[in-house]
PDB file of all heavy atoms in Angstrom:
ATOM      1  N   SER A 163      18.317 -15.420   7.562  1.00  0.00           N
ATOM      2  CA  SER A 163      19.388 -15.850   6.672  1.00  0.00           C
ATOM      3  C   SER A 163      19.630 -14.755   5.631  1.00  0.00           C
ATOM      4  O   SER A 163      18.834 -13.813   5.504  1.00  0.00           O
ATOM      5  CB  SER A 163      18.999 -17.147   5.957  1.00  0.00           C
ATOM      6  OG  SER A 163      17.934 -16.907   5.052  1.00  0.00           O
ATOM      7  N   SER A 164      20.714 -14.883   4.853  1.00  0.00           N
ATOM      8  CA  SER A 164      21.020 -13.862   3.846  1.00  0.00           C
ATOM      9  C   SER A 164      19.912 -13.769   2.803  1.00  0.00           C
ATOM     10  O   SER A 164      19.546 -12.686   2.355  1.00  0.00           O
ATOM     11  CB  SER A 164      22.362 -14.152   3.170  1.00  0.00           C
ATOM     12  OG  SER A 164      22.356 -15.438   2.588  1.00  0.00           O
ATOM     13  N   ARG A 165      19.340 -14.920   2.418  1.00  0.00           N
ATOM     14  CA  ARG A 165      18.241 -14.917   1.453  1.00  0.00           C
ATOM     15  C   ARG A 165      17.001 -14.269   2.060  1.00  0.00           C
ATOM     16  O   ARG A 165      16.302 -13.493   1.401  1.00  0.00           O
ATOM     17  CB  ARG A 165      17.913 -16.346   1.015  1.00  0.00           C
ATOM     18  CG  ARG A 165      16.711 -16.440   0.073  1.00  0.00           C
ATOM     19  CD  ARG A 165      16.923 -15.625  -1.199  1.00  0.00           C
ATOM     20  NE  ARG A 165      17.153 -16.471  -2.345  1.00  0.00           N
ATOM     21  CZ  ARG A 165      17.344 -16.041  -3.581  1.00  0.00           C
ATOM     22  NH1 ARG A 165      17.348 -14.738  -3.816  1.00  0.00           N
ATOM     23  NH2 ARG A 165      17.564 -16.867  -4.578  1.00  0.00           N
ATOM     24  N   GLU A 166      16.735 -14.562   3.334  1.00  0.00           N
ATOM     25  CA  GLU A 166      15.582 -13.958   4.005  1.00  0.00           C
ATOM     26  C   GLU A 166      15.770 -12.449   4.162  1.00  0.00           C
ATOM     27  O   GLU A 166      14.813 -11.680   4.028  1.00  0.00           O
ATOM     28  CB  GLU A 166      15.368 -14.624   5.363  1.00  0.00           C
ATOM     29  CG  GLU A 166      14.832 -16.043   5.245  1.00  0.00           C
ATOM     30  CD  GLU A 166      14.939 -16.832   6.546  1.00  0.00           C
ATOM     31  OE1 GLU A 166      15.588 -16.351   7.500  1.00  0.00           O
ATOM     32  OE2 GLU A 166      14.372 -17.937   6.600  1.00  0.00           O
ATOM     33  N   GLU A 167      17.014 -12.009   4.412  1.00  0.00           N
ATOM     34  CA  GLU A 167      17.296 -10.565   4.472  1.00  0.00           C
ATOM     35  C   GLU A 167      16.953  -9.907   3.137  1.00  0.00           C
ATOM     36  O   GLU A 167      16.318  -8.850   3.094  1.00  0.00           O
ATOM     37  CB  GLU A 167      18.786 -10.320   4.746  1.00  0.00           C
ATOM     38  CG  GLU A 167      19.274 -10.618   6.138  1.00  0.00           C
ATOM     39  CD  GLU A 167      20.770 -10.377   6.217  1.00  0.00           C
ATOM     40  OE1 GLU A 167      21.247  -9.411   5.591  1.00  0.00           O
ATOM     41  OE2 GLU A 167      21.446 -11.158   6.895  1.00  0.00           O
ATOM     42  N   GLU A 168      17.402 -10.561   2.058  1.00  0.00           N
ATOM     43  CA  GLU A 168      17.162 -10.018   0.722  1.00  0.00           C
ATOM     44  C   GLU A 168      15.668  -9.897   0.447  1.00  0.00           C
ATOM     45  O   GLU A 168      15.190  -8.856  -0.029  1.00  0.00           O
ATOM     46  CB  GLU A 168      17.806 -10.945  -0.320  1.00  0.00           C
ATOM     47  CG  GLU A 168      17.605 -10.490  -1.760  1.00  0.00           C
ATOM     48  CD  GLU A 168      18.181 -11.487  -2.760  1.00  0.00           C
ATOM     49  OE1 GLU A 168      18.572 -12.596  -2.355  1.00  0.00           O
ATOM     50  OE2 GLU A 168      18.215 -11.139  -3.956  1.00  0.00           O
ATOM     51  N   ILE A 169      14.918 -10.941   0.782  1.00  0.00           N
ATOM     52  CA  ILE A 169      13.479 -10.931   0.534  1.00  0.00           C
ATOM     53  C   ILE A 169      12.783  -9.916   1.430  1.00  0.00           C
ATOM     54  O   ILE A 169      11.873  -9.202   1.000  1.00  0.00           O
ATOM     55  CB  ILE A 169      12.899 -12.349   0.722  1.00  0.00           C
ATOM     56  CG1 ILE A 169      13.370 -13.241  -0.434  1.00  0.00           C
ATOM     57  CG2 ILE A 169      11.366 -12.309   0.788  1.00  0.00           C
ATOM     58  CD1 ILE A 169      12.978 -14.687  -0.309  1.00  0.00           C
ATOM     59  N   MET A 170      13.224  -9.783   2.676  1.00  0.00           N
ATOM     60  CA  MET A 170      12.611  -8.797   3.577  1.00  0.00           C
ATOM     61  C   MET A 170      12.857  -7.383   3.075  1.00  0.00           C
ATOM     62  O   MET A 170      11.971  -6.518   3.150  1.00  0.00           O
ATOM     63  CB  MET A 170      13.161  -8.971   4.999  1.00  0.00           C
ATOM     64  CG  MET A 170      12.426  -8.138   6.041  1.00  0.00           C
ATOM     65  SD  MET A 170      10.649  -8.494   6.126  1.00  0.00           S
ATOM     66  CE  MET A 170       9.965  -6.838   6.029  1.00  0.00           C
ATOM     67  N   ASP A 171      14.033  -7.122   2.530  1.00  0.00           N
ATOM     68  CA  ASP A 171      14.301  -5.800   1.957  1.00  0.00           C
ATOM     69  C   ASP A 171      13.379  -5.523   0.775  1.00  0.00           C
ATOM     70  O   ASP A 171      12.910  -4.392   0.585  1.00  0.00           O
ATOM     71  CB  ASP A 171      15.766  -5.704   1.495  1.00  0.00           C
ATOM     72  CG  ASP A 171      16.713  -5.397   2.641  1.00  0.00           C
ATOM     73  OD1 ASP A 171      16.241  -4.871   3.672  1.00  0.00           O
ATOM     74  OD2 ASP A 171      17.912  -5.677   2.506  1.00  0.00           O
ATOM     75  N   LEU A 172      13.100  -6.546  -0.028  1.00  0.00           N
ATOM     76  CA  LEU A 172      12.205  -6.378  -1.177  1.00  0.00           C
ATOM     77  C   LEU A 172      10.770  -6.155  -0.717  1.00  0.00           C
ATOM     78  O   LEU A 172      10.032  -5.357  -1.305  1.00  0.00           O
ATOM     79  CB  LEU A 172      12.293  -7.602  -2.096  1.00  0.00           C
ATOM     80  CG  LEU A 172      13.645  -7.817  -2.775  1.00  0.00           C
ATOM     81  CD1 LEU A 172      13.640  -9.098  -3.592  1.00  0.00           C
ATOM     82  CD2 LEU A 172      14.012  -6.627  -3.653  1.00  0.00           C
ATOM     83  N   ILE A 173      10.368  -6.855   0.355  1.00  0.00           N
ATOM     84  CA  ILE A 173       9.040  -6.625   0.936  1.00  0.00           C
ATOM     85  C   ILE A 173       8.931  -5.173   1.396  1.00  0.00           C
ATOM     86  O   ILE A 173       7.951  -4.481   1.138  1.00  0.00           O
ATOM     87  CB  ILE A 173       8.783  -7.578   2.119  1.00  0.00           C
ATOM     88  CG1 ILE A 173       8.646  -9.021   1.635  1.00  0.00           C
ATOM     89  CG2 ILE A 173       7.523  -7.157   2.891  1.00  0.00           C
ATOM     90  CD1 ILE A 173       8.591 -10.039   2.758  1.00  0.00           C
ATOM     91  N   ALA A 174       9.980  -4.707   2.079  1.00  0.00           N
ATOM     92  CA  ALA A 174       9.974  -3.335   2.610  1.00  0.00           C
ATOM     93  C   ALA A 174       9.973  -2.295   1.498  1.00  0.00           C
ATOM     94  O   ALA A 174       9.518  -1.168   1.693  1.00  0.00           O
ATOM     95  CB  ALA A 174      11.185  -3.125   3.523  1.00  0.00           C
ATOM     96  N   SER A 175      10.462  -2.680   0.306  1.00  0.00           N
ATOM     97  CA  SER A 175      10.469  -1.733  -0.817  1.00  0.00           C
ATOM     98  C   SER A 175       9.108  -1.645  -1.496  1.00  0.00           C
ATOM     99  O   SER A 175       8.897  -0.821  -2.384  1.00  0.00           O
ATOM    100  CB  SER A 175      11.520  -2.150  -1.851  1.00  0.00           C
ATOM    101  OG  SER A 175      11.074  -3.260  -2.612  1.00  0.00           O
ATOM    102  N   GLY A 176       8.168  -2.532  -1.077  1.00  0.00           N
ATOM    103  CA  GLY A 176       6.815  -2.476  -1.628  1.00  0.00           C
ATOM    104  C   GLY A 176       6.507  -3.531  -2.672  1.00  0.00           C
ATOM    105  O   GLY A 176       5.417  -3.533  -3.245  1.00  0.00           O
ATOM    106  N   MET A 177       7.448  -4.438  -2.915  1.00  0.00           N
ATOM    107  CA  MET A 177       7.212  -5.468  -3.931  1.00  0.00           C
ATOM    108  C   MET A 177       6.202  -6.513  -3.442  1.00  0.00           C
ATOM    109  O   MET A 177       6.184  -6.870  -2.268  1.00  0.00           O
ATOM    110  CB  MET A 177       8.520  -6.194  -4.274  1.00  0.00           C
ATOM    111  CG  MET A 177       9.457  -5.426  -5.178  1.00  0.00           C
ATOM    112  SD  MET A 177      10.788  -6.508  -5.762  1.00  0.00           S
ATOM    113  CE  MET A 177      11.712  -5.349  -6.787  1.00  0.00           C
TER     114      MET A 177
END
Side-chain angles (χ1 to χ4, degrees):
S163 68
S164 57
R165 176 59 108 179
E166 288 166 351
E167 287 178 38
E168 179 184 9
I169 289 175
M170 189 58 230
D171 279 339
L172 295 177
I173 291 172
S175 76
M177 283 191 180

